[in-house]
Amino acid sequence: MAAKRVYEAWKGSNKFLFGGRLIFGPDARSLLVTLLLIIVPVIIFCVFVARHLRHEFPSYNAGYAILVVAVLFNIYVLILLFLTSSHDPGIIPRNLHPPEEEFRYDSSVSIDIGGRQTPSLQFPRTKEVMVNGFPVRVKYCDTCMLYRPPRCSHCSICNNCVERFDHHCPWVGQCIGLRNYRYFFMFVSSATLLSIYVFSISAFYIKVLMDHYDGTVWKAMKESPASVVLMAYCFISLWFVGGLTGFHLYLIGTNQTTYENFRYRADNRVNVYNRGCLNNFLEVFCTKVKPSKNKFRAYVQEEGPRPSPPVIPREPEPDMGGDPRSKVEDDLDIGEDLLKISQRRNIEEIDEDIRSRGSNGPPHTTSEVDSVLGSDRHAPTIRSEARHSSEERSGSWEIAPEVLVNSSLTENRSHVASKEVRQKLGGSSF
């Protein structure tokens, strides 16, 4: 079986083209809509507006420049769109296993194994790292099994953790992150300039028609309805791409991301990444784009044997299982203590009964005393049965020698106690 490449075994929701050379988001089809919104208006502009302005500037045929600028500017915007949507935005490779160096035993969360409550192996969900001298809390990602670096977030659409995550843009079908934010801003700002250019030249063509036909603006608009449509379209587009350009100029100047601005705006947090307006712009536009951390065309390497997690010392816990034989001895000791208590209680009751009756009462026979102390005589049998049942549960029918010794000692003690009671009864009857 041929080895798979990384992009073929990719666990994210991305789509790859040309053997993993291009990476897109799962909603890459929205790019077709964006392309139509850019290309179609420019084609209409070139055919119905710029073509008629070629001879309006006779010196050096300057009118052709309007057409050439529109075409080149449109190509430039499409290139920026392609760079934004087809590049790795800064995806962090996911781990195959949780970070073992962060393992610790959590006694508050335990699992039941064989009737024993054992602390489960856990690791912190968050931890703090220092950024520009300030502590920043980073979270653990259950999907990628890693601690996200600062300013990193998991995109639920692409199913990846992205460095300096800004947002997921459906118009480009890709996440906007560390490695493509510069291209995204240049695309949006260039689209804004293209809209202004088309709007301005269309308005200029309306002015030219008014001068040629010595008419009003309404006659000129009837003469070139395409110019009116382009002006209306560009006016609406400017509210979108123009507003987006202004918003991202503010974010760049304050060194924020869209995600941080919307999430932490009400928290009044200190922006630890702000280094001043000029330095913030230099960071975005003048720093070298970091290489991708993923080699999508590389072959998937087989996973080696996983090292065992580190042994972490912890407090000794009482052994709930223990040796079956020692458990039987403990049960017998408890039974012996209970038997002593019951014998002592029976003797006290008999003694009080004798004193209350005095010498007028009928003499007590040995059989009565024996009937009262019957539990003492049957005690060895009971202990023997308990011993057998306990040994049966533990899987062994042997009786330990220590248990037999304890049983014989208990019988001797019971015999002495019964003898003392008979002597007391004999003395009180006379």
Side-chain angles (χ1 to χ4, degrees):
M1 183 178 179
K4 289 186 177 181
R5 296 184 184 268
V6 172
Y7 78 91
E8 295 176 332
W10 190 252
K11 295 183 179 180
S13 303
N14 304 89
K15 296 181 179 179
F16 297 88
L17 294 179
F18 300 105
R21 292 178 176 85
L22 301 179
I23 175 174
F24 297 89
D27 50 351
R29 292 183 179 180
S30 60
L31 273 174
L32 299 176
V33 178
T34 306
L35 290 174
L36 292 176
L37 293 175
I38 296 174
I39 295 176
V40 172
V42 173
I43 292 176
I44 296 175
F45 172 78
C46 293
V47 173
F48 296 99
V49 177
R51 184 172 62 90
H52 299 293
L53 295 174
R54 290 175 298 170
H55 306 292
E56 289 298 324
F57 305 95
S59 59
Y60 303 103
N61 293 322
Y64 283 93
I66 298 176
L67 185 62
V68 173
V69 169
V71 174
L72 294 179
F73 209 165
N74 185 56
I75 294 174
Y76 173 69
V77 172
L78 294 179
I79 291 175
L80 290 174
L81 175 61
F82 175 78
L83 293 175
T84 304
S85 59
S86 62
H87 270 59
D88 176 7
I91 300 174
I92 300 178
R94 63 183 64 192
N95 293 331
L96 298 177
H97 307 288
E100 297 175 349
E101 65 275 7
E102 301 290 343
F103 283 165
R104 63 177 175 83
Y105 286 98
D106 190 357
S107 58
S108 61
V109 181
S110 58
I111 54 177
D112 190 2
I113 302 178
R116 299 177 59 188
Q117 295 295 325
T118 304
S120 62
L121 204 58
Q122 302 288 330
F123 45 87
R125 308 301 299 174
T126 61
K127 67 178 183 178
E128 288 188 350
V129 297
M130 300 302 294
V131 177
N132 296 330
F134 294 92
V136 176
R137 179 174 297 180
V138 295
K139 296 182 179 179
Y140 177 77
C141 179
D142 293 305
T143 304
C144 300
M145 291 186 288
L146 52 84
Y147 284 98
R148 303 168 187 163
R151 314 192 84 176
C152 173
S153 184
H154 189 89
C155 177
S156 59
I157 299 176
C158 294
N159 196 24
N160 296 313
C161 279
V162 180
E163 287 187 281
R164 201 184 184 277
F165 177 77
D166 190 87
H167 69 288
H168 183 93
C169 182
W171 296 102
V172 302
Q174 181 65 282
C175 285
I176 307 301
L178 178 66
R179 300 188 67 252
N180 64 348
Y181 180 79
R182 180 186 306 176
Y183 302 128
F184 171 77
F185 176 80
M186 295 175 65
F187 161 71
V188 173
S189 58
S190 299
T192 301
L193 295 177
L194 181 60
S195 299
I196 294 175
Y197 178 79
V198 173
F199 181 88
S200 301
I201 300 300
S202 299
F204 174 76
Y205 184 56
I206 294 293
K207 177 67 171 59
V208 170
L209 292 177
M210 290 175 60
D211 295 338
H212 282 189
Y213 295 99
D214 295 329
T216 61
V217 65
W218 298 108
K219 288 183 180 180
M221 293 172 63
K222 289 180 181 179
E223 189 68 25
S224 178
S227 298
V228 178
V229 173
L230 288 174
M231 290 174 62
Y233 176 80
C234 292
F235 180 78
I236 296 174
S237 300
L238 281 174
W239 283 98
F240 176 71
V241 293
L244 200 58
T245 301
F247 176 67
H248 279 278
L249 282 173
Y250 162 73
L251 294 179
I252 295 173
T254 57
N255 206 332
Q256 298 182 66
T257 64
T258 304
Y259 179 80
E260 292 169 349
N261 181 266
F262 278 89
R263 181 169 183 178
Y264 305 124
R265 179 168 46 188
D267 295 346
N268 295 324
R269 294 189 178 186
V270 177
N271 186 3
V272 300
Y273 308 102
N274 191 356
R275 306 189 316 180
C277 183
L278 179 60
N279 292 327
N280 293 336
F281 273 92
L282 293 176
E283 179 182 340
V284 173
F285 296 105
C286 298
T287 55
K288 185 179 180 180
V289 178
K290 295 182 178 180
S292 175
K293 294 184 177 181
N294 302 278
K295 297 180 180 179
F296 298 110
R297 290 184 49 78
Y299 289 99
V300 178
Q301 297 180 357
E302 296 183 359
E303 181 183 358
R306 183 183 179 187
S308 58
V311 178
I312 303 176
R314 50 174 176 163
E315 297 180 358
E317 299 178 0
D319 189 3
M320 302 301 294
D323 187 9
R325 182 170 299 176
S326 62
K327 187 176 186 304
V328 173
E329 294 177 3
D330 295 338
D331 294 341
L332 292 177
D333 291 339
I334 295 173
E336 181 180 350
D337 294 338
L338 295 175
L339 182 62
K340 289 179 180 179
I341 294 173
S342 62
Q343 289 176 356
R344 188 180 301 112
R345 183 175 180 182
N346 292 335
I347 294 172
E348 292 176 356
E349 291 178 355
I350 294 172
D351 193 12
E352 290 179 0
D353 189 22
I354 293 172
R355 292 177 181 177
S356 62
R357 293 185 182 183
S359 58
N360 296 329
H364 295 276
T365 62
T366 306
S367 59
E368 293 179 356
V369 178
D370 293 341
S371 63
V372 174
L373 300 176
S375 59
D376 180 50
R377 296 179 178 178
H378 293 290
T381 305
I382 295 173
R383 287 195 298 271
S384 178
E385 293 176 356
R387 188 182 306 117
H388 281 290
S389 61
S390 300
E391 291 292 341
E392 183 178 0
R393 288 194 301 270
S394 62
S396 174
W397 286 90
E398 295 182 0
I399 301 177
E402 296 85 359
V403 178
L404 296 176
V405 172
N406 291 336
S407 176
S408 61
L409 290 175
T410 304
E411 292 175 1
N412 293 334
R413 293 172 185 173
S414 302
H415 180 70
V416 172
S418 61
K419 185 176 181 181
E420 292 178 356
V421 172
R422 292 191 185 97
Q423 290 177 357
K424 286 183 180 181
L425 293 177
S428 60
S429 61
F430 294 103

